């Protein structure tokens, strides 16, 4: 049997809402009648992780699991990194001081890979800048470091993932129907297969598009601030266009050809839904911009000297072997491991994939912290 405990808390600088809700909420999973000495905490930029798919699997294996949400669950366009990091610290402290956990494992899953990396880096070597136009987050210098780090199906960071998925052919952000056919991923004259020359031009143009949006966001923010405005929303369209989505021989793995998280890439790319589809000037600069954002894993993992394991599902349609390799290389720890396992992004397939990854994580945790049960 699995025990589930609802946990909620205020956070420094984030009191209880007028309607009564707490900014930080989650669910703590343990074996019935057992107080684990080792527990995992996992958080995402905006997706609710309180019912994470691995929670009960790890609890069944004797590992406590806190699926934790910051004040930004469901509100990615409001996200501010240093405040989210403080909220993660609330969860880590609860595990240590209330749940009686001796060792806290930071699980960086999917987009949460860079977020949990940023948390640990700030705890051991503070460097986070406040959000644009904001004071530093209260409590930012009072964080408890993690004892180990698990990277699971993790992206390199918000700027990297959106840039890698941006449609490089877009020539006008205000009219996404206007494109350059020589950079159109879905123009059969360009592939697949894609030539090395096309891929190089395409990747260069993706980076240039990110920088163009950043330059516009900076100028527009300055313009509206001069008129007494604080921010404005905008949308980034056509962001399901990574060549790896179309052709699985680019960064080879077991993923299906011509598939992304929203289905067929050519269709998803024109849907109006995707990364950055709901953002603001400040949010773009704080979260998505290659030149401005701190939501990037590699710079934080360079401060990570705790035991670490990087696990990549070999059938993932949106995280690729080179991403996992880059994360592994960025981790500064001498005690680190890199694995590929069968599975899609959520380990829904093949049958038994979730149990298998839970076994791998549990075995690795018990190798480092053998007394996992109290």
């Amino acid at each position: 049997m699995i025990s589930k405990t609802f946990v909620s808390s205020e956070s420094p600088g984030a009191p209880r809402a007028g309607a009564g809700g707490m900014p930080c909420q989650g669910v703590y999973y343990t074996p019935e009648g057992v107080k684990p000495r080792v527990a995992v905490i996992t958080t995402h930029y905006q997706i609710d992780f309180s019912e994470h798919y691995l929670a009960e699997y790890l609890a069944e294996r004797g590992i406590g699991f806190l699926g934790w949400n910051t004040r930004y669950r469901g509100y990615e366009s409001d996200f501010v990194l240093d405040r989210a990091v403080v909220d993660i610290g609330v969860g880590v402290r609860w595990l240590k001081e209330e749940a009686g956990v001796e060792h806290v494992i930071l699980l960086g899953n999917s987009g949460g890979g860079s977020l949990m990396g940023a948390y640990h880096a700030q705890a051991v070597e503070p460097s986070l800048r406040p959000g644009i136009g904001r004071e530093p987050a209260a409590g930012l210098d009072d964080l408890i470091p993690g004892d180990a780090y698990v990277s699971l199906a993790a992206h390199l960071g918000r700027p990297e993932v959106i840039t890698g998925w941006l449609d490089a052919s877009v020539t006008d952000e205000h009219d996404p129907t206007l494109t350059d056919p020589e950079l159109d991923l879905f123009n059969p004259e360009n592939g697949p297969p894609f030539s090395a020359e096309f891929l190089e031009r395409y990747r260069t143009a993706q980076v240039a598009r990110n920088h163009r949006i950043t330059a516009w966001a900076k100028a527009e923010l300055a313009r509206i601030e001069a008129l007494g405005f604080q921010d404005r929303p905008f949308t980034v369209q056509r962001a399901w266009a990574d060549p790896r989505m179309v052709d699985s021989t680019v960064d080879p793995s077991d993923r299906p050809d011509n598939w992304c998280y929203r289905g067929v890439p050519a269709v998803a790319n024109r849907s109006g839904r995707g990364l950055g589809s709901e953002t603001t000037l400040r949010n773009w600069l704080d979260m998505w911009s290659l030149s401005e954002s701190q939501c990037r894993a590699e710079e934080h993992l360079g401060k990570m000297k705790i035991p670490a394991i990087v696990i990549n599902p070999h059938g993932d349609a949106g995280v690729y072997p080179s991403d996992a390799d880059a994360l592994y290389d960025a981790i500064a720890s001498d005690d680190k491991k890199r694995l590929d396992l069968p599975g899609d992004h959520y380990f829904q397939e093949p049958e038994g994939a979730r149990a298998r990854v839970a076994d791998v994580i549990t075995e690795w945790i018990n190798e480092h912290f053998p007394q996992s049960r109290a």
Side-chain angles (χ1 to χ4, degrees), residues 24-345:
C24 301
Q25 296 180 345
V27 178
Y28 185 49
Y29 300 75
T30 64
E32 188 73 40
V34 175
K35 292 184 66 174
R37 293 176 179 168
V38 178
V40 164
I41 180 173
T42 189
T43 310
H44 194 275
Y45 285 98
Q46 60 97 9
I47 293 174
D48 188 331
F49 267 10
S50 64
E51 296 177 290
H52 193 276
Y53 64 84
L54 278 184
E56 295 193 26
Y57 284 92
L58 288 180
E60 288 171 352
R61 289 157 175 77
I63 308 296
F65 191 105
L66 179 59
W68 192 239
N69 296 316
T70 74
R71 70 190 79 176
Y72 299 110
R73 63 190 180 281
Y75 295 101
E76 189 168 56
S77 62
D78 294 332
F79 186 87
V80 181
L81 181 59
D82 64 341
R83 283 160 169 72
V85 161
V86 169
D87 293 351
I88 296 170
V90 172
V92 173
R93 188 171 297 278
W94 183 88
L95 285 172
K96 291 273 191 175
E97 298 181 356
E98 301 296 328
V101 170
E102 296 176 10
H103 303 289
V104 174
I105 315 301
L106 307 176
L107 173 60
N109 178 218
S110 190
S114 54
L115 179 56
M116 301 307 283
Y119 170 81
H120 182 77
Q122 178 65 23
V124 298
E125 192 176 326
S127 64
L128 289 183
R129 302 184 304 273
I132 295 172
R134 298 175 182 266
E135 295 295 322
L140 194 60
D141 298 324
D142 189 25
L143 305 177
I144 301 173
D147 296 298
Y149 173 75
V150 176
S151 169
L152 180 65
H155 302 285
L156 284 165
R158 302 316 263 171
E160 285 84 357
V161 70
I162 197 172
T163 302
W165 294 5
L166 284 176
D167 188 331
S169 71
V170 171
T171 58
D172 186 343
E173 295 297 331
H174 303 290
D175 185 354
T177 68
L178 301 178
T179 59
D180 178 353
E182 294 187 358
L183 284 170
D184 189 347
L185 190 69
F186 307 104
N187 179 354
E189 295 182 7
N190 296 325
F194 303 110
S195 68
E197 183 271 337
F198 175 81
L199 290 174
E200 183 177 0
R201 284 193 296 113
Y202 192 86
R203 293 303 192 196
T204 299
Q206 286 179 305
V207 171
R209 185 180 172 195
N210 185 295
H211 289 326
R212 286 198 306 272
I213 297 171
T214 294
W216 172 80
K218 284 182 172 181
E220 181 66 359
L221 183 58
R223 183 185 75 84
I224 67 170
E225 283 185 329
L227 298 172
F229 290 79
Q230 295 181 346
D231 205 352
R232 59 164 286 192
F234 71 98
T235 186
V236 176
Q237 292 186 258
R238 300 187 72 147
W240 293 102
D242 192 320
R244 297 174 293 187
M245 296 173 178
V246 177
D247 184 357
S248 63
T249 67
V250 182
D251 208 344
S253 71
D254 293 335
R255 67 188 184 274
D257 268 324
N258 201 35
W259 197 254
C260 69
Y261 294 154
R262 292 191 66 85
V264 177
V267 176
N269 194 47
R270 290 167 171 78
S271 69
R273 298 289 302 277
L275 294 177
S277 61
E278 296 178 7
T279 187
T280 73
L281 301 172
R282 292 175 185 268
N283 178 250
W284 173 270
L285 297 172
D286 280 340
M287 173 171 276
W288 303 110
S289 169
L290 281 171
S291 61
E292 305 299 320
S293 174
Q294 296 179 98
C295 299
R296 310 183 69 176
E298 290 176 286
E299 64 183 83
H300 303 301
L301 298 183
K303 302 174 183 176
M304 184 168 285
K305 299 179 180 179
I306 54 177
I309 184 171
V310 177
I311 301 172
N312 204 56
H314 210 246
D316 199 317
V319 179
Y320 309 100
S322 65
D323 297 327
D325 292 341
L327 291 172
Y328 176 83
D329 291 343
I331 294 170
S333 176
D334 293 329
D335 181 356
K336 60 181 179 178
K337 188 174 184 178
R338 162 84 170 85
L339 288 176
D340 287 312
L341 292 177
D344 59 13
H345 187 61

Side-chain angles (χ1 to χ4, degrees), residues 10 14-23:
E10 295 184 354
R16 189 170 187 164
M22 296 288 192

